Amino acid sequence: MRLTSVGAARMVTGSSHLVEVAGKRILVDCGLFQGGSEADELNRRPFVFDPASLDAVLVTHGHLDHVGRLPLLVKMGYEGRFYATAGTRDIAKIILRDAAHLQVEDHKRDLRRAARAGRASEVLPSLFDVADAEEAISRFTFVGFGEALELGRGVTARYEPAGHILGSAYVVMEAEGKRVVFSGDLGNRQSSLHLTAVPPVDADAIVIETTYADRSHRSLEETRTEFAEVISRALQAGGNVLIPTFAVERAQQVLYEIYRLVGEGRIPDLPVYLDSPMATRVTREYRAGIEELKPEVARVFSEGGDPFDPPSLAFTLSTKESMALNDIHAGMIVLAGSGMMTGGRILHHLKHNLWREAASVVVVGYQARGTLGRALVDGAKEVRIFGETIAVKASIHTIGGFSAHADHDDLVAFISKSPRARLLLVHGEPEVMDEFAVQQRTEGRQVVTPELNVPLEMFG
Ligand code: ZN
């Protein structure tokens, strides 16, 4: 059995792993590389395998760094299906359409800029367009959790809940008498929405993500208390409260936490706006897939309530509705994307609120280096938004505990029922992987960290 990591090898994005076994070629995920020009170059490189030669593509979940190159696979000749759970298919649909849209918009902008510099001919075409995304979406085939998917020649795959986002799964592949697990992204046991993954039993090898292998998340209770305090303080300050949020999982989690706080009388029932058409669509899918979530969340729904709908929540879908919020200077909570404040409607809200002393920004997600979000968290006194200098007078609060990813203890729990499994570390920063590898080797594990595009024998 041979494994070639064609993404997320000693890095976090671009998840994609090729397995060659029993004469079959199976790809697990095909995500986009993200972050800067280096990522763009990696996305444009031809695949090291012939997409037409693949027998199947298994998709663990709908995040862009796991599905973003699926349209390219189709463009390059893959004729088969993308197997995924219902939740993954529904989230991937939203993510791929949005990505196609952005690709096309970015391309148009690059063209306009290059044209003014007299270099329009140097602009590369967009990676894929809306039609490519739609073709990829049409290739999805639904697989239920726990069902055995027969891939031929005795190779089977099964999807088990990973607790990361709606529909997320880890894959258990059985072939040639071996059981190999692909973790995909694993969830945080402190999630308020998702159930924790049940560890696989007696695996021979586990290809495992290591995003947060070096840290421990705070408990859900601590995070809830902190969130309640921050929101109360922000509301007392008298201005608006902006919560930049990722559309998938984080927006739903924050809505649910606000729903709880209002219900418990811990914060007043103030207007809350979900100003993100994408998050609104994802929230709809979360409602449709609610049985997959924690029983206390599902119970709200079965008792006629809606855990993602605090009493005075409004979804602002049109640009006009969104712009109308700019005239409100106090007393509302706005959730908007993008999560790292690199684009999207949150920029307009920041422009209209950051310079006001009474306003607050509550950061509930990871902020990568080089993003506007990171600059604010790091204490920037002024920032540039839409070419304008904006003074930062608002208070910036960071809630560290919300995370959709497994921490060190979650990862250790995940491998605990497979004591003999060889570990193949992926989807992490090199230093974090190396530290985890050293720890696991001292526990007597065999550990390998695949290099990008370098094939290795899984049991060699
Ligand atoms: Zn993910």
Side-chain angles (χ1 to χ4, degrees), residues 44 82 84 101 165 205 218 261 295 316-318 339-340 389 397:
R44 288 180 184 281
F82 300 137
H101 225 82
I165 62 168
R218 307 183 74 172
L261 289 176
T316 39
L317 289 172
S318 71
M340 297 193 204
T389 300
H397 308 270

Side-chain angles (χ1 to χ4, degrees), residues 32 35-36 40 43-44 64 98-116 123-130 342-344:
L32 205 69
D40 192 48
N43 287 324
R44 288 180 184 281
L64 190 62
D98 179 70
H101 225 82
L102 284 178
Q103 298 272 354
V104 171
E105 289 306 311
D106 285 354
H107 179 245
K108 277 189 200 157
R109 186 204 56 212
D110 290 349
L111 265 184
R112 276 196 305 271
R113 282 186 185 164
R116 289 195 289 269
V123 176
L124 295 169
S126 70
L127 212 50
F128 55 86
D129 60 20
V130 178
T342 48

Side-chain angles (χ1 to χ4, degrees), residues 120-283:
S121 61
E122 291 170 24
V123 176
L124 295 169
S126 70
L127 212 50
F128 55 86
D129 60 20
V130 178
D132 299 323
E134 290 302 331
E135 178 58 33
I137 289 164
S138 75
R139 299 287 190 90
F140 271 82
T141 293
F142 156 73
V143 186
F145 282 115
E147 262 174 42
L149 175 65
E150 304 287 343
L151 298 169
R153 299 207 192 158
V155 183
T156 65
R158 203 174 73 234
Y159 291 68
E160 296 293 342
H164 170 60
I165 62 168
L166 189 75
S168 67
Y170 67 83
V171 172
V172 182
M173 193 182 286
E174 312 263 0
E176 294 180 337
K178 298 282 190 194
R179 177 174 298 161
V180 177
V181 170
F182 295 85
S183 74
D185 286 356
L186 296 170
N188 172 1
R189 71 189 178 290
Q190 311 288 353
S191 165
S192 44
L193 301 181
H194 292 282
L195 290 162
T196 310
V198 175
V201 177
D202 290 338
D204 297 292
I206 303 179
V207 180
I208 188 167
E209 67 118 325
T210 50
T211 321
Y212 290 142
D214 62 337
R215 61 180 91 166
S216 299
H217 295 318
R218 307 183 74 172
S219 75
L220 178 56
E221 271 325 301
E222 281 174 306
T223 303
R224 278 192 164 144
T225 306
E226 190 187 8
F227 185 66
E229 283 168 4
V230 164
I231 295 284
S232 310
R233 230 184 308 143
L235 290 172
Q236 274 159 19
N240 290 326
V241 180
L242 308 182
I243 311 182
T245 153
F246 302 111
V248 183
E249 191 271 341
R250 198 57 39 85
Q252 293 74 40
Q253 185 167 19
V254 170
L255 286 176
Y256 177 56
E257 292 301 332
I258 294 173
Y259 169 88
R260 285 174 51 102
L261 289 176
V262 174
E264 291 166 4
R266 294 171 78 176
I267 60 168
D269 183 13
L270 288 168
V272 179
Y273 294 94
L274 181 59
D275 191 24
S276 161
M278 190 171 164
T280 301
R281 283 194 283 273
V282 174
T283 303

Side-chain angles (χ1 to χ4, degrees), residues 51-52 54-57 74 77-83 139-141:
L54 293 175
D55 295 289
V57 177
V74 175
Y78 176 61
E79 291 184 342
R81 313 294 304 175
F82 300 137
Y83 298 96
R139 299 287 190 90
F140 271 82
T141 293

Side-chain angles (χ1 to χ4, degrees), residues 353-387:
N353 288 278
L354 268 183
W355 53 277
R356 296 175 193 274
E357 263 172 45
S360 305
V361 180
V362 180
V363 178
V364 292
Y366 174 71
Q367 305 298 314
R369 241 171 259 154
T371 61
L372 174 59
R374 182 62 169 262
L376 289 176
V377 169
D378 287 346
K381 295 280 172 260
E382 54 178 45
V383 291
R384 300 277 295 172
I385 299 176
F386 302 127

